Amino acid sequence: MAWFRKDKPPLKAPPEKRVQTEGLWVKCESCKQIVWKGDLEGNLQCCPKCGYHFKMTAPERLAMLFDGGHYTEHDAGLASSDPLGFHDTKAYRDRLKQAQNQTGMKDALATGEGRIEDRPAIVCAMEFRFIGGSMGAVVGEKITRAIDRAIAGKLPLIVVSCSGGARMMEGAISLMQMAKISAGLARLDEAGQPFISVLTDPTTGGVTASYAMLGDLNIAEPGALIGFAGPRVIEQTIRQKLPEGFQRAEFLLEHGMLDAIVPRKELKGYLARTLGLLSRS
Amino acid sequence: MARPAPQPDPAVDIEKQIATLEAGSPSEADREEIERLRGQLEILRRTPGAKPSGDAWEQVLIARHPNRPYTLDFIHALFTDFTELHGDRRFADDPALIGGLARFEGRPVAVVGHQKGRDTEQRVKRNFGMPNPEGYRKALRLMKLAEKFRLPVVCLVDTPGAYPGKGAEERGQAEAIAYNLKEIPKIRTPIVVVVHGEGGSGGALAIAIGDRVLMLENAIYSVIAPESCSSILWRDWNHKQEAARALKLTARDLHGFGLVDTIVPEPAGGAHTDPPGAAANLKAAISAALGALTPLSMDNLISLRHERLRKLATFVIE
């Protein structure tokens, strides 16, 4: 025998009345404040409250650096041939297609030629959304072609890195891109053209251990994680917690690995000024 | 071939190490180490002299075989008058990456290479063959010394990778590797690279740029260890065999991609079953490589080296 009887049906939640806000707001990873995306876009993807630097897409980066956002893109059609026929839980070909659909790019780097405060320059920008900005044969070839163009056209080269390192799915071929690009930079040295490496969050692995550390100037955005091994791997190896700020841009500056830390708002002006100082008269 | 003190039974030693690690509460790193040790046990328990099947995972096990000849074993077998030179002139000497002067078939040469340790004490001293930045800086210093005296350089590659440690990061592990990759292509003297054990990613590549790249039949060369690849892409350690196959890291694969010029045959069963036999084959291959490079003019040598690096490309244009 029931002590209580339900005379009325239980209350139901009213039908969905909430305003759809998903995609319009993001939480800042640094200050945890909620930021309107429109504010971020108007502020070079930096948090208006604490200045935290969000990742930029490669096209955003090129548009930000070149005068009026105008540039000519080079080698946009280069795509991976999946040289290993690589499969893990998913076929590499499918991962590529997915990344291509998501970014509208063929691979993890875009090369633009244009003017920075009226100085002609070539800029390569890495795209983190494309398989973690990883470097395979296409990234290697595009940077090397950018070096070739810089030598032929007597132009300065800037590479904005944002990458987890070499791309596993292209095996030793990815690894060899480190050698190919670095040897290309040796030729750029001989040609006397400047190379400025801009390291953004994150730049690790084979990218750091090749071109990202080989700039005539190595400059980084504030707070960027920069290293050879990832912090988790180091902690597992040495069996200790790493101190706060380890492998951040400020740490690298202190240890002599960087020329400067330049906030994004000042980046274009900094590049224009230093390219002016590095030009041969 | 010169060998360190005879091994009692490496399998017993390895079983003990596994037991010790499992007794505590194993961390992520411990589990990786246990996996590595289990792999070694697996290969030690095989019938000696059994012909390798050619499976990629088996190649990984042979390349890491605890009785496989290491760099110093090959140095003593291939060269005379070996004189080790130490230090990077900046911070320290790195016992994981050694180098010096020697004679090859009577002719003075410079030699650099990763050095692993065979017993526990040596393994710790050699940091498991994982160099710090000092090692890479010393290697470049010795190559520049060789250039000054027009001595050919022989690079012996055998490392799990560059050391992922705190001090290594502070002192610029990435910069040290990167700088070698830019400077070695300019060195005006012939360079012959031999991948004889593990070619572990950037830590191997930093001394593996040259005019000829030789690879021992059972050596491996990879952008990442199969265990780490398994843990990243499959999200656990149990797919290392599949990862090894997927990574295409055997000598035959690398030769197929055009990244390696010559595969140096090993005695049946692998180099660890007959180290002097392996050394003899390698000696003949180095001799042939140096013979082909010596007549080239320096300008020609350098431009061929750059061409070789420039051609490392595979892509499609859509």
Side-chain angles (χ1 to χ4, degrees):
Chain A
M1 191 173 75
W3 286 16
F4 297 100
R5 208 172 43 225
K6 287 178 184 159
D7 291 333
K8 292 176 197 165
L11 285 173
K12 274 194 191 133
E16 189 65 51
K17 269 187 189 167
R18 284 187 306 160
V19 182
Q20 186 64 36
T21 58
E22 199 188 340
L24 287 178
W25 301 85
V26 287
K27 190 171 178 181
C28 174
E29 281 177 46
S30 176
C31 67
K32 313 290 178 204
Q33 302 263 0
I34 305 297
V35 183
W36 181 47
K37 271 198 175 168
D39 279 349
L40 268 186
E41 274 153 31
N43 199 31
L44 298 174
Q45 302 289 347
C46 295
C47 174
K49 286 161 182 145
C50 73
Y52 173 77
H53 287 47
F54 285 74
K55 288 185 185 67
M56 276 185 125
T57 68
E60 278 172 342
R61 181 68 72 170
L62 294 180
M64 162 203 157
L65 291 178
F66 287 120
D67 295 349
H70 300 306
Y71 59 92
T72 313
E73 188 172 355
H74 293 304
D75 308 315
L78 261 63
S80 173
S81 61
D82 185 16
L84 271 52
F86 193 94
H87 272 261
D88 49 271
T89 53
K90 206 172 171 184
Y92 174 43
R93 276 184 190 277
D94 295 337
R95 284 188 196 270
L96 283 169
K97 263 193 214 110
Q98 193 188 350
Q100 285 166 349
N101 291 337
Q102 194 197 341
T103 59
M105 292 168 64
K106 297 274 182 230
D107 213 291
L109 180 131
T111 304
E113 185 174 340
R115 287 173 175 272
I116 299 175
E117 294 190 3
D118 224 28
R119 278 175 197 286
I122 296 179
V123 180
C124 296
M126 300 194 78
E127 175 55 68
F128 195 78
R129 292 175 305 159
F130 201 106
I131 317 185
S134 56
M135 169 184 56
V138 171
V139 169
E141 180 66 16
K142 285 178 90 165
I143 299 181
T144 313
R145 287 187 181 194
I147 294 169
D148 292 342
R149 276 180 214 279
I151 293 172
K154 296 191 164 58
L155 294 168
L157 174 69
I158 295 161
V159 179
V160 184
S161 295
C162 185
S163 170
R167 189 175 295 168
M168 274 181 277
M169 300 82 161
E170 295 187 21
I173 292 164
S174 302
L175 186 63
M176 294 304 154
Q177 304 310 309
M178 296 166 65
K180 175 164 103 177
I181 298 167
S182 305
L185 290 172
R187 291 186 285 117
L188 190 67
D189 279 352
E190 277 164 35
Q193 289 305 318
F195 166 46
I196 301 184
S197 172
V198 181
L199 298 93
T200 72
D201 187 52
T203 300
T204 58
V207 168
T208 321
S210 59
Y211 54 91
M213 272 291 152
L214 291 174
D216 293 313
L217 305 183
N218 295 334
I219 62 176
E221 289 191 336
L225 178 80
I226 301 164
F228 173 67
R232 206 173 53 91
V233 174
I234 300 172
E235 286 185 346
Q236 282 173 15
T237 306
I238 64 172
R239 293 152 201 240
Q240 281 173 35
K241 273 303 266 173
L242 289 168
E244 186 73 18
F246 188 78
Q247 292 184 310
R248 295 287 162 186
E250 296 71 18
F251 170 93
L252 272 93
L253 183 73
E254 193 184 313
H255 284 85
M257 301 298 154
L258 298 174
D259 290 283
I261 295 173
V262 182
R264 194 172 287 166
K265 265 186 207 154
E266 297 163 24
L267 184 60
K268 181 175 175 174
Y270 184 95
L271 290 173
R273 185 171 76 246
T274 49
L275 287 179
L277 294 169
L278 292 173
S279 66
R280 291 185 163 185
S281 48
Chain B
M1 166 180 268
R3 274 225 160 276
Q7 295 295 299
D9 178 4
V12 175
D13 182 38
I14 291 171
E15 276 169 349
K16 248 188 251 165
Q17 289 182 51
I18 293 176
T20 318
L21 284 170
E22 281 180 335
S25 47
S27 70
E28 190 81 339
D30 291 334
R31 271 200 294 279
E32 192 178 354
E33 178 67 5
I34 291 170
E35 281 300 313
R36 197 185 63 81
L37 292 167
R38 285 222 176 100
Q40 292 199 348
L41 264 187
E42 200 178 310
I43 193 80
L44 279 168
R45 284 183 180 141
R46 285 236 173 95
T47 339
K51 183 95 183 128
S53 67
D55 174 66
W57 177 245
E58 189 173 63
Q59 300 277 266
V60 173
L61 297 179
I62 299 175
R64 297 174 180 168
H65 195 290
N67 288 345
R68 196 172 167 83
Y70 292 156
T71 288
L72 271 172
D73 301 318
F74 278 122
I75 287 177
H76 291 304
L78 297 169
F79 304 97
T80 53
D81 286 357
F82 176 61
T83 308
E84 187 173 352
L85 303 174
H86 295 276
D88 69 342
R89 301 291 189 270
R90 280 162 174 76
F91 181 75
D93 183 45
D94 187 350
L97 210 170
I98 58 161
L101 302 170
R103 287 182 188 272
F104 181 76
E105 296 178 329
R107 174 187 182 189
V109 298
V111 52
V112 299
H114 306 95
Q115 181 62 36
K116 292 180 178 173
R118 215 171 280 283
D119 55 27
T120 308
E121 190 192 331
Q122 283 293 314
R123 275 198 289 271
V124 170
K125 177 184 168 192
R126 302 294 183 180
N127 200 29
F128 301 86
M130 295 186 285
N132 274 286
E134 299 75 66
Y136 297 112
R137 291 177 181 137
K138 171 169 69 177
L140 185 64
R141 179 176 79 81
L142 296 180
M143 288 189 203
K144 291 197 166 168
L145 179 72
E147 178 182 41
K148 177 172 172 183
F149 297 98
R150 290 287 153 92
L151 310 178
V153 179
V154 177
C155 304
L156 299 170
V157 176
D158 182 22
T159 180
Y163 185 56
K166 192 164 167 248
E169 294 287 330
E170 287 167 341
R171 299 193 299 278
Q173 186 73 289
E175 191 275 343
I177 294 171
Y179 191 63
N180 278 19
L181 296 181
K182 189 168 95 166
E183 291 300 306
I184 296 173
K186 298 185 208 165
I187 301 264
R188 295 174 68 83
T189 191
I191 303 172
V192 175
V193 174
V194 181
V195 182
H196 65 80
E198 280 184 277
S201 199
L205 186 67
I207 61 160
I209 311 289
D211 305 300
R212 288 287 185 281
V213 180
L214 320 179
M215 192 161 166
L216 259 61
E217 191 182 344
N218 293 312
I220 56 165
Y221 199 169
S222 180
V223 67
I224 187 167
E227 289 89 341
S228 313
C229 180
S230 164
S231 98
I232 295 171
L233 291 180
W234 280 269
R235 300 187 186 282
D236 70 60
W237 299 106
N238 300 324
H239 296 267
K240 52 187 195 277
Q241 285 97 336
E242 285 161 84
R245 277 165 221 140
L247 283 166
K248 302 273 166 33
L249 43 64
T250 68
R252 216 173 324 146
D253 294 324
L254 276 276
H255 187 257
F257 295 136
L259 306 180
V260 161
D261 303 293
T262 308
I263 301 176
V264 182
E266 290 184 28
H272 59 284
T273 61
D274 177 12
N281 293 349
L282 180 55
K283 191 168 188 176
I286 295 176
S287 182
L290 284 177
L293 296 172
T294 311
L296 300 177
S297 77
M298 273 317 144
D299 288 341
N300 199 4
L301 186 81
I302 298 296
S303 76
L304 287 172
R305 192 184 294 162
H306 272 287
E307 237 171 73
R308 176 193 171 90
L309 290 163
R310 182 66 187 83
K311 276 193 303 202
L312 299 172
T314 163
F315 50 83
V316 290
I317 296 172
E318 287 179 354

